[in-house]
Short mmCIF file of all heavy atoms in Angstrom, two decimals:
data_model
loop_
_atom_site.label_atom_id
_atom_site.label_comp_id
_atom_site.label_asym_id
_atom_site.label_seq_id
_atom_site.Cartn_x
_atom_site.Cartn_y
_atom_site.Cartn_z
N PHE A 1 -17.17 -7.78 -11.86
CA PHE A 1 -17.93 -8.51 -12.83
C PHE A 1 -17.73 -10.02 -12.57
O PHE A 1 -16.74 -10.61 -13.03
CB PHE A 1 -17.45 -8.22 -14.27
CG PHE A 1 -17.27 -6.74 -14.55
CD1 PHE A 1 -16.05 -6.14 -14.33
CD2 PHE A 1 -18.36 -5.98 -15.02
CE1 PHE A 1 -15.92 -4.76 -14.60
CE2 PHE A 1 -18.19 -4.62 -15.30
CZ PHE A 1 -16.95 -4.02 -15.07
N GLY A 2 -18.59 -10.58 -11.77
CA GLY A 2 -18.36 -11.97 -11.39
C GLY A 2 -17.06 -12.17 -10.69
O GLY A 2 -16.77 -11.49 -9.72
N PRO A 3 -16.17 -13.03 -11.20
CA PRO A 3 -14.88 -13.26 -10.55
C PRO A 3 -13.78 -12.26 -11.00
O PRO A 3 -12.61 -12.46 -10.68
CB PRO A 3 -14.50 -14.66 -11.01
CG PRO A 3 -15.12 -14.77 -12.34
CD PRO A 3 -16.40 -13.96 -12.29
N ILE A 4 -14.17 -11.21 -11.74
CA ILE A 4 -13.23 -10.25 -12.25
C ILE A 4 -13.49 -8.88 -11.61
O ILE A 4 -14.61 -8.44 -11.53
CB ILE A 4 -13.29 -10.12 -13.77
CG1 ILE A 4 -12.85 -11.46 -14.42
CG2 ILE A 4 -12.45 -8.98 -14.32
CD1 ILE A 4 -13.00 -11.48 -15.93
N ILE A 5 -12.41 -8.27 -11.14
CA ILE A 5 -12.49 -6.91 -10.53
C ILE A 5 -11.61 -5.98 -11.27
O ILE A 5 -10.43 -6.31 -11.54
CB ILE A 5 -12.12 -6.98 -9.03
CG1 ILE A 5 -13.04 -7.94 -8.24
CG2 ILE A 5 -12.13 -5.58 -8.42
CD1 ILE A 5 -12.63 -8.08 -6.79
N HIS A 6 -12.10 -4.81 -11.61
CA HIS A 6 -11.31 -3.75 -12.17
C HIS A 6 -11.12 -2.64 -11.15
O HIS A 6 -12.09 -2.02 -10.68
CB HIS A 6 -12.03 -3.13 -13.41
CG HIS A 6 -12.04 -4.06 -14.59
ND1 HIS A 6 -12.71 -3.76 -15.75
CD2 HIS A 6 -11.47 -5.27 -14.79
CE1 HIS A 6 -12.57 -4.75 -16.61
NE2 HIS A 6 -11.79 -5.67 -16.04
N ILE A 7 -9.88 -2.46 -10.71
CA ILE A 7 -9.55 -1.49 -9.69
C ILE A 7 -8.93 -0.26 -10.33
O ILE A 7 -7.95 -0.34 -11.11
CB ILE A 7 -8.56 -2.12 -8.65
CG1 ILE A 7 -9.14 -3.43 -8.07
CG2 ILE A 7 -8.27 -1.11 -7.53
CD1 ILE A 7 -8.16 -4.18 -7.19
N HIS A 8 -9.46 0.91 -9.98
CA HIS A 8 -8.93 2.18 -10.52
C HIS A 8 -7.82 2.69 -9.59
O HIS A 8 -8.10 3.20 -8.48
CB HIS A 8 -10.02 3.22 -10.64
CG HIS A 8 -11.13 2.74 -11.56
ND1 HIS A 8 -11.08 2.98 -12.93
CD2 HIS A 8 -12.31 2.10 -11.34
CE1 HIS A 8 -12.16 2.44 -13.50
NE2 HIS A 8 -12.93 1.92 -12.56
N VAL A 9 -6.55 2.51 -10.03
CA VAL A 9 -5.42 2.83 -9.20
C VAL A 9 -4.90 4.23 -9.53
O VAL A 9 -5.20 4.82 -10.61
CB VAL A 9 -4.28 1.81 -9.37
CG1 VAL A 9 -4.77 0.44 -8.93
CG2 VAL A 9 -3.83 1.77 -10.84
N PRO A 10 -4.13 4.87 -8.63
CA PRO A 10 -3.59 6.23 -8.87
C PRO A 10 -2.64 6.25 -10.06
O PRO A 10 -2.12 5.21 -10.52
CB PRO A 10 -2.88 6.54 -7.55
CG PRO A 10 -3.44 5.60 -6.55
CD PRO A 10 -3.81 4.38 -7.28
N GLU A 11 -2.38 7.46 -10.52
CA GLU A 11 -1.51 7.65 -11.66
C GLU A 11 -0.10 7.16 -11.38
O GLU A 11 0.53 6.46 -12.18
CB GLU A 11 -1.44 9.16 -12.03
CG GLU A 11 -0.62 9.48 -13.23
CD GLU A 11 -1.34 9.14 -14.52
OE1 GLU A 11 -2.59 9.03 -14.53
OE2 GLU A 11 -0.66 9.04 -15.58
N GLU A 12 0.42 7.44 -10.16
CA GLU A 12 1.79 7.08 -9.84
C GLU A 12 1.80 5.86 -8.93
O GLU A 12 1.03 5.78 -7.98
CB GLU A 12 2.49 8.27 -9.15
CG GLU A 12 2.62 9.53 -9.99
CD GLU A 12 3.49 9.32 -11.21
OE1 GLU A 12 4.41 8.47 -11.17
OE2 GLU A 12 3.26 9.99 -12.24
N GLN A 13 2.73 4.92 -9.19
CA GLN A 13 2.86 3.80 -8.31
C GLN A 13 3.53 4.24 -7.00
O GLN A 13 4.47 5.02 -7.01
CB GLN A 13 3.70 2.71 -8.99
CG GLN A 13 5.12 3.08 -9.35
CD GLN A 13 5.82 1.94 -10.11
OE1 GLN A 13 5.17 1.14 -10.73
NE2 GLN A 13 7.15 1.94 -9.98
N PRO A 14 3.06 3.72 -5.85
CA PRO A 14 3.60 4.17 -4.56
C PRO A 14 5.01 3.77 -4.29
O PRO A 14 5.77 4.44 -3.61
CB PRO A 14 2.61 3.54 -3.55
CG PRO A 14 1.40 3.24 -4.33
CD PRO A 14 1.84 2.91 -5.71
N ASP A 15 5.41 2.59 -4.84
CA ASP A 15 6.72 2.04 -4.51
C ASP A 15 7.45 1.66 -5.81
O ASP A 15 6.85 1.05 -6.70
CB ASP A 15 6.60 0.80 -3.60
CG ASP A 15 7.93 0.37 -3.06
OD1 ASP A 15 8.39 0.91 -2.03
OD2 ASP A 15 8.56 -0.50 -3.69
N PRO A 16 8.76 1.95 -5.88
CA PRO A 16 9.49 1.63 -7.13
C PRO A 16 9.72 0.14 -7.33
O PRO A 16 10.03 -0.30 -8.47
CB PRO A 16 10.83 2.36 -6.97
CG PRO A 16 10.96 2.52 -5.46
CD PRO A 16 9.60 2.68 -4.94
N TYR A 17 9.65 -0.66 -6.25
CA TYR A 17 9.85 -2.08 -6.37
C TYR A 17 8.52 -2.86 -6.46
O TYR A 17 8.21 -3.50 -7.46
CB TYR A 17 10.65 -2.60 -5.15
CG TYR A 17 12.10 -2.16 -5.18
CD1 TYR A 17 12.61 -1.42 -4.09
CD2 TYR A 17 12.97 -2.51 -6.20
CE1 TYR A 17 13.93 -0.99 -4.08
CE2 TYR A 17 14.27 -2.10 -6.21
CZ TYR A 17 14.76 -1.34 -5.15
OH TYR A 17 16.05 -0.90 -5.14
N VAL A 18 7.78 -2.82 -5.36
CA VAL A 18 6.51 -3.53 -5.29
C VAL A 18 5.47 -2.62 -4.62
O VAL A 18 5.68 -2.27 -3.46
CB VAL A 18 6.66 -4.86 -4.50
CG1 VAL A 18 5.36 -5.66 -4.61
CG2 VAL A 18 7.84 -5.67 -4.90
N SER A 19 4.39 -2.33 -5.33
CA SER A 19 3.34 -1.54 -4.72
C SER A 19 2.28 -2.49 -4.21
O SER A 19 2.09 -3.59 -4.79
CB SER A 19 2.74 -0.60 -5.74
OG SER A 19 3.66 0.37 -6.14
N VAL A 20 1.57 -2.12 -3.12
CA VAL A 20 0.69 -3.07 -2.43
C VAL A 20 -0.73 -2.45 -2.29
O VAL A 20 -0.88 -1.26 -1.91
CB VAL A 20 1.23 -3.41 -1.06
CG1 VAL A 20 0.29 -4.37 -0.34
CG2 VAL A 20 2.61 -3.99 -1.14
N LEU A 21 -1.73 -3.28 -2.65
CA LEU A 21 -3.13 -2.90 -2.36
C LEU A 21 -3.67 -3.89 -1.36
O LEU A 21 -3.40 -5.11 -1.38
CB LEU A 21 -3.99 -2.98 -3.64
CG LEU A 21 -3.87 -1.82 -4.60
CD1 LEU A 21 -2.57 -1.91 -5.43
CD2 LEU A 21 -5.05 -1.77 -5.57
N LYS A 22 -4.48 -3.39 -0.41
CA LYS A 22 -5.09 -4.23 0.63
C LYS A 22 -6.59 -4.35 0.29
O LYS A 22 -7.30 -3.38 0.04
CB LYS A 22 -4.92 -3.59 1.99
CG LYS A 22 -5.56 -4.43 3.11
CD LYS A 22 -5.10 -3.99 4.51
CE LYS A 22 -5.58 -2.55 4.83
NZ LYS A 22 -5.25 -2.20 6.23
N VAL A 23 -7.05 -5.59 0.33
CA VAL A 23 -8.47 -5.90 -0.04
C VAL A 23 -9.16 -6.46 1.21
O VAL A 23 -8.72 -7.45 1.78
CB VAL A 23 -8.54 -6.90 -1.18
CG1 VAL A 23 -10.02 -7.20 -1.52
CG2 VAL A 23 -7.82 -6.38 -2.40
N THR A 24 -10.22 -5.79 1.62
CA THR A 24 -11.02 -6.24 2.76
C THR A 24 -12.25 -6.94 2.25
O THR A 24 -12.99 -6.38 1.39
CB THR A 24 -11.41 -5.08 3.66
OG1 THR A 24 -10.22 -4.39 4.10
CG2 THR A 24 -12.18 -5.54 4.86
N MET A 25 -12.52 -8.15 2.71
CA MET A 25 -13.69 -8.95 2.28
C MET A 25 -14.33 -9.59 3.52
O MET A 25 -13.62 -10.09 4.41
CB MET A 25 -13.29 -10.01 1.27
CG MET A 25 -12.48 -9.47 0.11
SD MET A 25 -11.92 -10.80 -1.00
CE MET A 25 -13.46 -11.20 -1.84
N ASP A 26 -15.65 -9.60 3.54
CA ASP A 26 -16.35 -10.30 4.61
C ASP A 26 -16.29 -11.83 4.41
O ASP A 26 -16.27 -12.58 5.37
CB ASP A 26 -17.83 -9.85 4.67
CG ASP A 26 -17.94 -8.43 5.12
OD1 ASP A 26 -17.01 -7.88 5.83
OD2 ASP A 26 -18.91 -7.75 4.76
N GLN A 27 -16.27 -12.25 3.20
CA GLN A 27 -16.21 -13.67 2.84
C GLN A 27 -15.05 -13.90 1.87
O GLN A 27 -14.56 -12.96 1.25
CB GLN A 27 -17.50 -14.17 2.21
CG GLN A 27 -18.69 -14.08 3.14
CD GLN A 27 -19.96 -14.61 2.46
OE1 GLN A 27 -20.17 -14.39 1.26
NE2 GLN A 27 -20.83 -15.27 3.20
N HIS A 28 -14.57 -15.13 1.83
CA HIS A 28 -13.46 -15.47 0.94
C HIS A 28 -13.90 -16.66 0.04
O HIS A 28 -13.64 -17.79 0.36
CB HIS A 28 -12.18 -15.80 1.72
CG HIS A 28 -11.65 -14.67 2.48
ND1 HIS A 28 -12.07 -14.41 3.80
CD2 HIS A 28 -10.80 -13.69 2.18
CE1 HIS A 28 -11.39 -13.35 4.25
NE2 HIS A 28 -10.64 -12.88 3.26
N GLN A 29 -14.54 -16.28 -1.06
CA GLN A 29 -14.89 -17.27 -2.07
C GLN A 29 -14.08 -17.00 -3.33
O GLN A 29 -14.00 -15.86 -3.76
CB GLN A 29 -16.38 -17.21 -2.39
CG GLN A 29 -17.25 -17.60 -1.15
CD GLN A 29 -18.73 -17.56 -1.49
OE1 GLN A 29 -19.14 -16.88 -2.43
NE2 GLN A 29 -19.54 -18.20 -0.69
N PHE A 30 -13.53 -18.05 -3.87
CA PHE A 30 -12.63 -17.95 -5.01
C PHE A 30 -13.15 -18.79 -6.20
O PHE A 30 -13.72 -19.84 -6.01
CB PHE A 30 -11.20 -18.37 -4.66
CG PHE A 30 -10.69 -17.67 -3.43
CD1 PHE A 30 -10.50 -18.40 -2.23
CD2 PHE A 30 -10.30 -16.36 -3.48
CE1 PHE A 30 -10.05 -17.78 -1.11
CE2 PHE A 30 -9.82 -15.74 -2.33
CZ PHE A 30 -9.66 -16.44 -1.15
N ASN A 31 -12.89 -18.27 -7.37
CA ASN A 31 -13.11 -19.02 -8.58
C ASN A 31 -11.72 -19.46 -9.08
O ASN A 31 -10.94 -18.67 -9.57
CB ASN A 31 -13.82 -18.18 -9.64
CG ASN A 31 -14.25 -19.02 -10.84
OD1 ASN A 31 -13.54 -19.90 -11.28
ND2 ASN A 31 -15.38 -18.64 -11.43
N THR A 32 -11.46 -20.77 -8.91
CA THR A 32 -10.11 -21.28 -9.19
C THR A 32 -9.93 -21.75 -10.62
O THR A 32 -8.85 -22.21 -11.01
CB THR A 32 -9.76 -22.41 -8.24
OG1 THR A 32 -10.70 -23.49 -8.48
CG2 THR A 32 -9.86 -22.00 -6.78
N GLU A 33 -10.97 -21.66 -11.44
CA GLU A 33 -10.89 -22.27 -12.77
C GLU A 33 -10.84 -21.27 -13.92
O GLU A 33 -10.27 -21.58 -14.96
CB GLU A 33 -12.13 -23.17 -12.96
CG GLU A 33 -12.16 -24.38 -12.07
CD GLU A 33 -13.30 -25.33 -12.37
OE1 GLU A 33 -14.35 -24.87 -12.86
OE2 GLU A 33 -13.16 -26.56 -12.14
N VAL A 34 -11.40 -20.08 -13.75
CA VAL A 34 -11.42 -19.13 -14.86
C VAL A 34 -10.04 -18.57 -15.20
O VAL A 34 -9.19 -18.44 -14.30
CB VAL A 34 -12.41 -17.95 -14.59
CG1 VAL A 34 -13.85 -18.45 -14.57
CG2 VAL A 34 -12.05 -17.21 -13.37
N VAL A 35 -9.86 -18.31 -16.48
CA VAL A 35 -8.62 -17.74 -16.99
C VAL A 35 -8.53 -16.26 -16.57
O VAL A 35 -9.54 -15.53 -16.62
CB VAL A 35 -8.59 -17.85 -18.51
CG1 VAL A 35 -7.36 -17.10 -19.08
CG2 VAL A 35 -8.51 -19.31 -18.90
N ALA A 36 -7.34 -15.83 -16.14
CA ALA A 36 -7.21 -14.44 -15.70
C ALA A 36 -7.23 -13.46 -16.86
O ALA A 36 -6.78 -13.76 -17.98
CB ALA A 36 -5.85 -14.30 -14.94
N GLU A 37 -7.78 -12.27 -16.59
CA GLU A 37 -7.75 -11.20 -17.59
C GLU A 37 -6.36 -10.60 -17.60
O GLU A 37 -5.71 -10.37 -16.56
CB GLU A 37 -8.75 -10.17 -17.27
CG GLU A 37 -8.94 -9.09 -18.35
CD GLU A 37 -10.02 -8.10 -18.01
OE1 GLU A 37 -10.55 -8.10 -16.87
OE2 GLU A 37 -10.34 -7.26 -18.89
N SER A 38 -5.87 -10.33 -18.81
CA SER A 38 -4.52 -9.78 -18.94
C SER A 38 -4.45 -8.31 -18.60
O SER A 38 -5.50 -7.63 -18.45
CB SER A 38 -4.03 -9.97 -20.38
OG SER A 38 -3.89 -11.31 -20.72
N THR A 39 -3.24 -7.77 -18.46
CA THR A 39 -3.07 -6.40 -18.02
C THR A 39 -3.82 -5.38 -18.85
O THR A 39 -4.45 -4.45 -18.34
CB THR A 39 -1.56 -6.05 -18.03
OG1 THR A 39 -0.93 -6.78 -16.97
CG2 THR A 39 -1.34 -4.56 -17.74
N PHE A 40 -3.80 -5.48 -20.17
CA PHE A 40 -4.50 -4.54 -21.01
C PHE A 40 -5.87 -5.01 -21.47
O PHE A 40 -6.43 -4.47 -22.41
CB PHE A 40 -3.62 -4.24 -22.26
CG PHE A 40 -2.39 -3.47 -21.94
CD1 PHE A 40 -1.16 -4.10 -21.84
CD2 PHE A 40 -2.42 -2.09 -21.74
CE1 PHE A 40 -0.03 -3.37 -21.57
CE2 PHE A 40 -1.30 -1.37 -21.45
CZ PHE A 40 -0.07 -2.02 -21.36
N GLY A 41 -6.41 -6.02 -20.77
CA GLY A 41 -7.67 -6.59 -21.19
C GLY A 41 -7.41 -7.78 -22.15
O GLY A 41 -6.34 -7.90 -22.75
N GLY A 42 -8.38 -8.59 -22.32
CA GLY A 42 -8.18 -9.84 -23.12
C GLY A 42 -7.82 -11.01 -22.30
O GLY A 42 -7.35 -10.90 -21.16
N PHE A 43 -7.99 -12.22 -22.90
CA PHE A 43 -7.77 -13.46 -22.20
C PHE A 43 -6.94 -14.44 -23.04
O PHE A 43 -7.24 -14.65 -24.21
CB PHE A 43 -9.11 -14.13 -21.84
CG PHE A 43 -10.03 -13.26 -21.05
CD1 PHE A 43 -10.88 -12.34 -21.65
CD2 PHE A 43 -10.05 -13.34 -19.68
CE1 PHE A 43 -11.72 -11.56 -20.94
CE2 PHE A 43 -10.90 -12.56 -18.94
CZ PHE A 43 -11.70 -11.63 -19.57
#
């Protein structure tokens, strides 16, 4: 949704310390001004 992405992750986290997702993009354009969406939704 514009500069916001909702990723559907698996039920279990892969790593007990830090789990990692890799994002492949053809271009790298960023929106540096918008407020981030919180973990459970909301701003």
Side-chain angles (χ1 to χ4, degrees):
F1 313 92
I4 294 176
I5 300 176
H6 290 174
I7 305 172
H8 298 275
V9 297
E11 184 76 20
E12 299 296 330
Q13 62 184 26
D15 188 86
Y17 291 120
V18 188
S19 297
V20 180
L21 283 77
K22 180 168 65 174
V23 180
T24 302
M25 307 176 74
D26 292 334
Q27 296 180 325
H28 295 90
Q29 295 180 339
F30 307 107
N31 188 324
T32 62
E33 295 185 331
V34 292
V35 173
E37 187 176 11
S38 297
T39 290
F40 291 100
F43 302 86

